[in-house]
Amino acid sequence: MIERVTRHFGRLVFDRDAIVRAALRAYVETHLEGIARFAFPACDGAMWEGDLQRGAIYNDDGEGNYEVVAWNEAGVVGLAYELGCGPIEQLDLPLDAVTRGPDDVRGAVPGLPAELEPAFVMAVGMLATGEARDDGVVYGEKLAGVGFWLHGDHAGGTLLTFRDRYRAHGAVRLAAWGLLHNGRLLPLSCESYRPRPGWIVTNHNRPEDAPAHAVIDAVVDRRLKGPTEFTPAELETLLLPAPKPERVLAAQRRLQQVGITWPG
């Protein structure tokens, strides 16, 4: 675990195990949205790769902005992209240096330890690629403009070093992983809400959502120890009345991917 006091986001705390738990929890929230009794899921759209030892989560906002956080036994790597601010614009990657691979975004994680290279490669594998530019050429660069890494009690990346916020588009998406609340990744908000800190939704602790979040916490904690399933009582507390069967089936399939099942 490491702590850093940053100019733009205040005190950030990064912990490998806490991040993995928060990633699993955020993935569960995403796929329960619309059928469960809570609002403001942490992720708008989430995809999962791998497992709790070596894996990654992709989180996007549906508008072209996203982050990928990947982990292995050694630590964590995070990469983020804000629309129009990829490695060419933000990391000064020359057009003739585009590889369509990890080296396109390596500038976002300077000093990356060798032990984190597999996690970095996994994260890069989930990034989008650039499309046709003004010159009509598709360079296909991997799209990320800011990053961080965590290895034991050491950390680095442009998230922790940038001074000019206009040179770190997407940083807020990564900062959220250092601002976990009771083990939960908090949802981001639009700037007009005046959230604190780091554009995070302020009313994420609605009392009416507490029973559902307690169920999610219990299931996630069990899953950290091994595959698990919801109990009938948990589903009764968690689910909205008469949720659409197709939505329930979709949630069942997505959560089965991470070792969480329904009774039967």
Side-chain angles (χ1 to χ4, degrees):
M1 181 183 76
I2 65 102
E3 298 182 19
R4 291 288 188 274
V5 176
T6 67
R7 176 180 179 183
H8 301 285
F9 304 113
R11 177 173 171 266
L12 301 178
V13 178
F14 291 105
D15 178 271
R16 187 266 181 199
D17 292 343
I19 287 173
V20 173
R21 182 192 186 277
L24 176 62
R25 196 188 190 289
Y27 182 83
V28 171
E29 280 188 37
T30 297
H31 297 294
L32 290 175
E33 183 187 13
I35 65 171
R37 304 173 192 264
F38 68 89
F40 299 120
C43 296
D44 293 288
M47 294 187 292
W48 182 276
E49 293 283 350
D51 54 35
L52 297 174
Q53 287 70 48
R54 300 179 180 182
I57 187 171
Y58 168 100
N59 171 29
D60 72 60
D61 66 358
E63 297 181 356
N65 310 298
Y66 61 80
E67 85 271 9
V68 177
V69 174
W71 55 86
N72 62 11
E73 296 88 342
V76 180
V77 176
L79 297 168
Y81 172 68
E82 188 171 309
L83 195 62
C85 299
I88 292 171
E89 296 83 4
Q90 198 152 295
L91 301 175
D92 299 322
L93 177 72
L95 294 178
D96 60 3
V98 171
T99 66
R100 303 189 178 190
D103 287 344
D104 290 354
V105 295
R106 198 172 292 277
V109 287
L112 181 77
E115 294 86 348
L116 290 178
E117 185 70 17
F120 175 60
V121 171
M122 178 175 280
V124 172
M126 299 186 78
L127 300 178
T129 56
E131 300 178 351
R133 304 178 66 82
D134 292 341
D135 57 9
V137 177
V138 177
Y139 292 93
E141 73 277 16
K142 290 294 185 177
L143 292 177
V146 62
F148 80 92
W149 56 263
L150 171 67
H151 181 241
D153 58 357
H154 298 281
T158 54
L159 171 68
L160 301 178
T161 59
F162 78 92
R163 297 296 178 186
D164 181 355
R165 67 187 182 94
Y166 294 106
R167 292 289 290 172
H169 294 281
V172 64
R173 303 191 66 88
L174 296 180
W177 293 90
L179 294 165
L180 302 180
H181 177 77
N182 294 332
R184 181 190 178 199
L185 178 70
L186 295 179
L188 298 179
S189 168
C190 67
E191 196 169 356
S192 62
Y193 287 4
R194 294 185 175 275
R196 294 291 184 270
W199 287 283
I200 284 173
V201 167
T202 53
N203 58 337
H204 53 78
N205 270 339
R206 303 192 319 160
E208 61 268 39
D209 295 347
H213 282 302
V215 169
I216 295 171
D217 279 326
V219 171
V220 166
D221 287 337
R222 293 201 304 268
R223 175 59 191 94
L224 293 175
K225 300 174 183 178
T228 190
E229 71 175 25
F230 290 103
T231 67
E234 286 172 335
L235 289 176
E236 184 176 356
T237 299
L238 182 66
L239 299 183
L240 294 168
K244 293 182 178 180
E246 62 271 21
R247 296 290 299 274
V248 173
L249 180 59
Q252 289 173 332
R253 289 173 172 168
R254 294 294 188 181
L255 297 191
Q256 187 176 19
Q257 183 183 354
V258 295
I260 299 172
T261 58
W262 255 244

